[in-house]
Amino acid sequence: MAHIDAGKTTTTERILFYTGKSHRIGEVDNGEATMDWMAQEQNRGITITSAATTCFWRDHQINIIDTPGHVDFTAEVERSLRVLDGAIAIFCAVGGVEPQSETVWHQADAYEIPRIAYVNKMDRIGADFYAVLDEIREKLGANPVVIQLPIGRESEFTGTIDLLSLQELHWDVESFGAKYELADIQEKHQELVATWRERLLDELTAHSDELTEYVLEGKEIPVELLNNVIREQTVNRNIVPVFCGASLRNAGVQPLLDAVINYLPAPEELPPIHGTHAKKENNVEVERSVDGQPLALVFKIQSDREAGDLSFIRVYSGTIKAGTAVYNIAKKKRERIHRLLRPHANRTEQVDSVSAGDIAVAVGLKLAQTGDTIGSEGFPVLLEKMHFPEPVISVAIEPNTLSQRERLKEVLSVLAKEDPTFTTKEDQETGELIISGMGELHLDVLRTRIIDDFNVGARVGNPQVTYRESISKEHEHTEKFHRMLAGKENSAELTLRVAPLSRGTGNQFSSNVSKSDLPENLIEAVERSIRGAFSAGIVYGYPAFDVGVILVKASYNEQTSTEFAFEAAASLGFDNACRDADPILLEPIMKVDVMCPKEFLGDVISGITMRGGVVHGVDSRPAMEHITTEAPLRNMFGYSTALRSITQGRGNYAMEFSHFSKKPEK
């Protein structure tokens, strides 16, 4: 996991080469990377979808997921982190802790994932290993513990020094780094090594009495003991071991693989996972054991022309076999897994069964969606779902010919099932198809997929901001509904109170009416209708946001009160109550991080303020200035072109959604 261009895919390609998974090294820059298998990934030189693969090192099986770095594909990172046991955080030796590095780091914090850090690109001009260490400490609040020191930097980077075995490592150019030599530490490095070795021991002795005894008695410390202490503290997330290298120059990857096995946890070493019993609704702790009841999480859906929907699953407990029925606990339905595949980017190998700790692709699940739990009816435990950010940018899309309209709708529903941050709807008034996503690049990638992968000719309009609607005061409203349908009387009367909630709370519904006053199915009908009304909006048709609704009272007639009547009354009541509660329009505010050379700082800041942006801070680095700002999304379209022209092509920026704020009235 890392920021764009830190070298995630390049490092993964080296891992596949050294573990014998691929017979040659695929380069991102040449569009030949194994893990970037989509045509667009190869053309653009970026990772768009997270690719999973399995390799073997030192008799251990490692399941790897290579995630995208671009903030527009944050859902791919989120769902990958949800199913990981450990992570390698890659930092560029020049850029340090970049904006997206912070985002993924905090996502990993939320899922309590142990991490090791790898400072890549030590051969680049401006590389500074020690500055990156300081940034990891200051910006991420982490505790980096150096395991390897670089020998030289920039063009003089020649290898690394291992602070545990106290040896130098030099990689062989002829074998593409597959072989490396161990040598004694040179005289000129002795003092630096002594300093950092002492810091390492200071940190580790705080966690181990046995190690403290060795140090106090001045005895030689076994590497195995050091490894055990580092592993224990990494798994407990007290420290982050730091390694360095230059993946593109094939240096530093094997020690990183060793570190995965030495320091990151195997599945059974982690604490039990928390779930909710679907029937008893109590919290359950599930042991990560091969002998337990089968339980797996569907973390990704991918469409395949021949096989249909491919469900990527992470098995947490027990064993799942091909050709057997499983129970979709979220949908309360039985489904059959026809085949199980072990993924390797876009290629797969068939397997008979998968056990706790495995990542696999299940073929044949028709109902499964991202976030569903599959298992057995005897042990219906729901695992925690993933939370995805809301789409903030929309475009209208239309097929080149009317005959392709239905086909386009099918394709959009396939893409929406694959990607939880992509939504599609039909405008009721204009009949336009509207697609929404996380950013301009996200929608551009999806448009290209529609045209190239699915062969549907389509035109796309200019990007539009997806606003939200809310209310600014509390209001209570009574709604009466009475209608004759097919000779049957339908009536309902209910009182709703709507109130604004604090920003970011989300929409909420609660009922003050007891089940003795109103049957449960009618209360559920009201809730169903209100939740549907949230997405339909108030005045402009944008989704409602941060609105609380309480069912205060309801009148019930055994003869005429129907679910239909209460649904209709709730929908009309919500509409009328919100219109009288001073509705307001909210616009998305984006967090924008701009990197530019020092000489363009003034022009870049004035360009941002002209777009309504607020500058929160400027952080000076040796090669770049890092400007942190917030700006309304409506003013940020086309900013990449403007920034390039201001900075002569040397500036870049990352933009992600921050919060919704009241749109100023003109």
Side-chain angles (χ1 to χ4, degrees), residues 168-465:
E168 290 188 4
L169 287 74
H170 296 275
W171 276 265
D172 172 39
V173 179
E174 294 295 314
S175 64
F176 298 107
K179 296 176 185 160
Y180 57 92
E181 291 173 3
L182 298 173
D184 291 336
I185 296 169
Q186 298 167 52
E187 188 66 41
K188 60 182 178 182
H189 299 141
Q190 293 281 8
E191 195 178 325
L192 180 71
V193 170
T195 306
W196 283 96
R197 168 86 172 184
E198 197 174 319
R199 287 187 192 180
L200 172 68
L201 294 176
D202 276 353
E203 179 62 49
L204 298 182
T205 48
H207 303 288
S208 166
D209 294 340
E210 189 184 349
L211 189 59
T212 309
E213 280 178 35
Y214 270 94
V215 173
L216 290 175
E217 290 170 16
K219 289 197 290 193
E220 190 177 325
I221 304 166
V223 173
E224 196 178 331
L225 174 61
L226 290 169
N227 277 333
N228 290 343
V229 179
I230 295 168
R231 181 187 186 88
E232 186 185 308
Q233 297 314 313
T234 305
V235 172
N236 293 339
R237 304 197 338 277
N238 291 327
I239 65 169
V240 178
V242 182
F243 296 80
C244 59
S247 296
L248 195 62
R249 277 179 50 183
N250 309 317
V253 177
Q254 293 95 331
L256 192 60
L257 269 169
D258 289 336
V260 168
I261 288 165
N262 290 342
Y263 309 136
L264 291 181
E268 66 272 9
E269 289 178 282
L270 287 164
I273 45 167
H274 299 286
T276 310
H277 199 287
K279 289 174 183 166
K280 300 174 187 169
E281 294 188 1
N282 59 330
N283 288 338
V284 180
E285 288 198 340
V286 182
E287 291 290 339
R288 302 166 186 254
S289 162
V290 179
D291 305 323
Q293 294 273 11
L295 204 62
L297 184 77
V298 178
F299 68 94
K300 178 174 170 172
I301 303 286
Q302 195 172 301
S303 284
D304 185 273
R305 284 181 193 171
E306 281 84 37
D309 283 348
L310 304 177
S311 304
F312 282 72
I313 60 171
R314 159 69 207 260
V315 187
Y316 282 102
S317 164
T319 301
I320 292 176
K321 292 179 180 159
T324 57
V326 290
Y327 184 58
N328 186 327
I329 298 160
K331 302 279 189 298
K332 298 180 181 171
K333 291 277 196 313
R334 288 175 75 83
E335 292 199 75
R336 183 168 289 279
I337 294 177
H338 299 312
R339 285 185 297 150
L340 280 171
L341 309 169
R342 181 163 280 151
H344 178 50
N346 65 331
R347 303 197 307 279
T348 51
E349 58 177 288
Q350 196 157 328
V351 290
D352 296 328
S353 67
V354 284
S355 304
D358 277 333
I359 283 174
V361 176
V363 182
L365 299 179
K366 301 266 193 310
L367 303 170
Q369 286 178 296
T370 299
D372 282 0
T373 309
I374 59 172
S376 63
E377 285 173 85
F379 191 60
V381 173
L382 277 168
L383 298 173
E384 186 196 352
K385 285 205 167 191
M386 290 159 267
H387 304 290
F388 298 109
E390 295 275 328
V392 290
I393 182 170
S394 304
V395 295
I397 185 168
E398 60 178 34
N400 290 341
T401 60
L402 205 58
S403 60
Q404 286 190 304
R405 187 177 170 85
E406 287 308 311
R407 172 76 183 127
L408 178 61
K409 278 186 173 178
E410 281 173 32
V411 170
L412 291 177
S413 69
V414 166
L415 292 173
K417 192 173 182 183
E418 281 189 16
D419 185 348
T421 56
F422 172 69
T423 59
T424 170
K425 68 170 187 177
E426 193 169 348
D427 191 303
Q428 296 300 318
E429 291 177 5
T430 63
E432 278 184 316
L433 291 170
I434 309 288
I435 58 174
S436 306
M438 296 304 297
E440 289 178 89
L441 177 65
H442 187 200
L443 291 180
D444 189 36
V445 163
L446 289 164
R447 181 188 67 84
T448 311
R449 281 195 68 191
I450 290 165
I451 295 166
D452 293 352
D453 297 1
F454 294 96
N455 298 321
V456 178
R459 297 189 301 277
V460 171
N462 290 327
Q464 306 290 324
V465 177

Side-chain angles (χ1 to χ4, degrees), residues 524-577:
E524 284 173 5
V526 172
E527 180 170 0
R528 201 164 48 238
S529 179
I530 296 292
R531 295 209 180 277
F534 284 145
S535 57
I538 300 166
V539 180
Y540 302 101
Y542 294 114
F545 194 71
D546 295 338
V547 177
V549 181
I550 299 170
L551 176 60
V552 180
K553 61 182 181 194
S555 301
Y556 169 63
N557 182 319
E558 214 167 292
Q559 271 77 41
T560 61
S561 290
T562 60
E563 284 189 23
F564 162 74
F566 270 89
E567 278 188 21
S571 179
L572 292 166
F574 173 79
D575 224 32
N576 291 326

Side-chain angles (χ1 to χ4, degrees), residues 125-185:
I125 294 171
D128 190 338
F129 176 75
Y130 303 101
V132 178
L133 282 181
D134 292 340
E135 287 198 4
I136 292 173
R137 196 173 285 110
E138 289 160 21
K139 290 191 172 180
L140 304 177
N143 181 14
V145 172
V146 177
I147 309 294
Q148 275 186 342
L149 290 172
I151 301 172
R153 56 188 250 192
E154 301 179 352
S155 59
E156 290 167 15
F157 174 71
T158 56
T160 62
I161 298 170
D162 188 323
L163 291 177
L164 303 184
S165 64
L166 294 174
Q167 285 182 305
E168 290 188 4
L169 287 74
H170 296 275
W171 276 265
D172 172 39
V173 179
E174 294 295 314
S175 64
F176 298 107
K179 296 176 185 160
Y180 57 92
E181 291 173 3
L182 298 173
D184 291 336
I185 296 169

